[in-house]
Amino acid sequence: MVRRYDVIVDDIDRELLALLQADATQSYAALGEAVGLSSGATHERVRKLRRRGVIRRTSVEVDPAAVGKGVAAFVMVDANAWMGGAETAEALAALPWIEEAHVVAGSASLLVKVRTSSTEDLQAVLRHLHGVPGVTGTRTVVVLETFFERPLDPRGDRP
């Protein structure tokens, strides 16, 4: 989904976003001090960022292995038709093992990121994927080790 924003996100908003990504439990006073604003002004900016959809949600990052989901894989999904519609999105969203789903250009129609507790469970997920209307095949890359997963830097391309 493409979103258009009425007001451009300025440098202070970008800095607030980066600070919240690092630790969303910070007080508005601490955030405001870091960017040179009062607590009230900071609270209002964050409220507006939420209302406009720039901040989609506040969440906790969990170690997948600690909760028994240590197997990660990327699955390229082949299809016999365009897979960019709501029906496909809903079918994929119904599979709880899928963390991300993307319509892509290239040799595959979709790219999904899956987390399971075992390769046997991964195999079951692949069977479920083959049950999605239009899916004709899959190619899977199993992650052996993750060096890092980096969140978007809202401040732009900084060294």
Side-chain angles (χ1 to χ4, degrees):
M1 170 194 285
V2 176
R3 291 198 169 122
R4 298 189 189 273
Y5 298 101
D6 296 336
V7 180
I8 294 177
V9 178
D10 66 16
D11 287 342
I12 292 174
D13 289 338
R14 291 177 189 280
E15 192 61 34
L16 284 170
L17 292 167
L19 290 165
L20 287 167
Q21 281 182 317
D23 180 3
T25 65
Q26 296 180 74
S27 69
Y28 291 119
L31 291 167
E33 184 176 327
V35 298
L37 294 175
S38 69
S39 174
T42 301
H43 182 240
E44 182 63 15
R45 277 184 179 254
V46 171
R47 186 187 67 74
K48 287 179 180 177
L49 289 167
R50 280 194 176 101
R51 187 185 61 197
R52 290 178 21 226
V54 176
I55 297 175
R56 295 180 185 170
R57 64 188 166 130
T58 303
S59 64
V60 175
E61 186 176 339
V62 176
D63 178 358
V67 293
K69 300 294 182 187
V71 177
F74 292 91
V75 182
M76 292 166 279
V77 180
D78 299 319
N80 61 10
W82 175 250
M83 300 293 288
E87 182 180 337
T88 302
E90 290 168 11
L92 295 174
L95 301 177
W97 312 275
I98 296 179
E99 288 188 350
E100 300 175 16
H102 309 274
V103 175
V104 295
S107 62
S109 298
L110 301 168
L111 176 67
V112 297
K113 181 180 179 183
V114 175
R115 282 203 193 267
T116 65
S117 58
S118 67
T119 55
E120 292 81 11
D121 285 348
L122 176 57
Q123 193 172 7
V125 172
L126 295 174
R127 277 194 294 276
H128 283 287
L129 278 172
H130 279 269
V132 172
V135 171
T136 60
T138 60
R139 286 164 285 149
T140 304
V141 177
V142 176
V143 176
L144 299 178
E145 179 180 2
T146 300
F147 290 132
F148 61 88
E149 292 176 306
R150 180 177 300 160
L152 170 75
D153 184 349
R155 296 169 295 196
D157 297 331
R158 293 188 176 180

